Amino acid sequence: MRTSTIRPAGPVVTGAAVVAALTLSACTTARADRTTPDPAPVTATASAPEAPPVTAQELALLAAAEDALVRECAADHGVHLPQPAAASGPERAADPADVRAFPFVVDSPGWAAEHGYGSDLDAEREGARTSDPTRTYLQSLPAGRRTAALDVLNGGPDDPALRAKLPVGTSIGRSATSCTSRAQDALYGDAAQWFQASAATGNLEPLWTGRVLADQRYADAVGPWSDCMSRRGHDVATPRDARQAAYGTPDESATASDEAACATTTGLAAVVADLTTEHESRVCQEFRADVESRRALEHAALGRAREITAELTPEQIAAGARTRGAPPCEES
């Protein structure tokens, strides 16, 4: 049996699978009033080759290891969290059938015919979230005990804070003595570096998404797509208009299928693919230090993660895939 490796002295914060269940109260992950200096991004040395992105399986392994460490830490504080449910179906973060794969226009006729704009998948994910064992456990506690448990899991407002600078220029903070921070320190070797690298890279996608939408070439390609949709009976100016009009309605699948067909025949899908590659590459290069830091920390942690999860079943490890999205900048 593995011996305990984390012993925080104060309140704690959740991590990994636990974090999804903690929408019961506000977390302390966006504090900007602490005095801890912003960490500088960790850069790769000139002699060290750049690490590739971790695989989806490795990402799940890291998430499961962090989750195990957080649960161990919480138990040390008298909060005995249930194990996460085994991962299956569209609630898994690594599942390719995800509407987030189409941030600009649905361009897969087969996917559109089956899922429309993804309202069915969203409903299944919401069902999995609301039935999460940790969420259910916390909701079942009497008010006083639930407050105490959430205090343990979320940390206290007076805790010393880790800080990270986001790509948009703002900074966020999180308790440095939380179980999340303690677990990440044990897993990655430096909680402050991991917080900076993961927070920065986790917020890169909105940057390149916004740049694609603001690109005149995208606007120029949307015009013919809108004309195509009009000929099919949809009076919409943009793909967002189409999604907002049809999402969750009986017409969802038909509208999404028309959207995908028009995206292909008018060339919008090809333009979106080219612009996404262009802007994603630029953003990833702009924040190359954070990307390389994250990759290096993840690869260095894999050995520890395998040791920590040695007693877990493949299903328990796979459950970790729900808690994190794909690694950022996979192709750069």
Side-chain angles (χ1 to χ4, degrees):
M1 190 70 178
R2 188 167 47 83
T3 59
S4 177
T5 57
I6 306 175
R7 291 291 185 271
V12 294
V13 174
T14 64
V18 180
V19 107
L22 296 181
T23 56
L24 293 172
S25 76
C27 294
T28 57
T29 57
R31 301 195 311 247
D33 57 346
R34 296 289 179 263
T35 57
T36 308
D38 289 344
V42 178
T43 56
T45 62
S47 59
E50 180 184 332
V54 294
T55 66
Q57 292 77 15
E58 290 170 336
L59 199 68
L61 185 73
L62 291 168
E66 183 181 327
D67 185 68
L69 291 171
V70 169
R71 291 172 185 279
E72 178 184 350
C73 177
D76 288 343
H77 283 71
V79 179
H80 300 280
L81 301 172
Q83 290 299 316
S88 62
E91 73 272 17
R92 293 181 58 180
D95 195 319
D98 193 320
V99 72
R100 289 173 297 178
F102 307 99
F104 309 109
V105 64
V106 176
D107 58 8
S108 170
W111 194 95
E114 183 175 0
H115 300 293
Y117 290 110
S119 63
D120 58 335
L121 300 179
D122 291 341
E124 291 186 47
R125 276 189 289 269
E126 177 62 16
R129 187 188 70 82
T130 57
S131 63
D132 176 83
T134 298
R135 180 183 175 86
T136 301
Y137 163 74
L138 292 172
Q139 287 180 320
S140 71
L141 296 176
R145 288 184 57 196
R146 181 167 61 248
T147 298
L150 289 170
D151 285 345
V152 166
L153 294 170
N154 288 336
D158 297 324
D159 292 352
L162 300 175
R163 294 185 63 78
K165 187 174 182 180
L166 300 182
V168 293
T170 59
S171 294
I172 60 172
R174 187 185 69 200
S175 169
T177 57
S178 68
C179 275
T180 293
S181 295
R182 301 270 182 171
Q184 291 173 352
D185 196 66
L187 181 59
Y188 296 105
D190 190 317
Q193 286 187 10
W194 173 251
F195 185 48
Q196 169 60 42
S198 61
T201 58
N203 285 276
L204 293 181
E205 185 173 355
L207 282 185
W208 71 68
T209 298
R211 293 181 186 183
V212 170
L213 292 172
D215 196 303
Q216 186 60 44
R217 290 170 291 178
Y218 174 77
D220 292 342
V222 166
W225 173 90
S226 177
D227 293 340
C228 176
M229 290 291 283
S230 179
R231 290 192 293 271
R232 290 172 177 260
H234 308 287
D235 184 17
V236 292
T238 67
R240 180 178 182 181
D241 294 339
R243 183 175 312 207
Q244 289 180 334
Y247 181 90
T249 73
D251 296 329
E252 178 178 353
S253 180
T255 302
S257 295
D258 286 342
E259 174 173 320
C262 286
T264 301
T265 58
T266 65
L268 176 58
V271 170
V272 162
D274 290 344
L275 292 179
T276 299
T277 298
E278 176 183 328
H279 288 293
E280 179 179 356
S281 177
R282 288 179 179 175
V283 168
C284 290
Q285 287 301 320
E286 288 174 28
F287 296 92
R288 175 61 37 193
D290 285 315
V291 172
E292 292 183 8
S293 175
R294 174 172 179 154
R295 290 179 182 177
L297 290 166
E298 286 174 329
H299 280 280
L302 286 173
R304 290 187 289 274
R306 293 187 180 95
E307 179 181 352
I308 292 166
T309 60
E311 298 177 11
L312 298 183
T313 66
E315 292 76 18
Q316 288 173 318
I317 293 175
R322 290 200 308 251
T323 69
R324 299 188 184 177
C329 304
E330 290 184 90
E331 303 301 325
S332 59

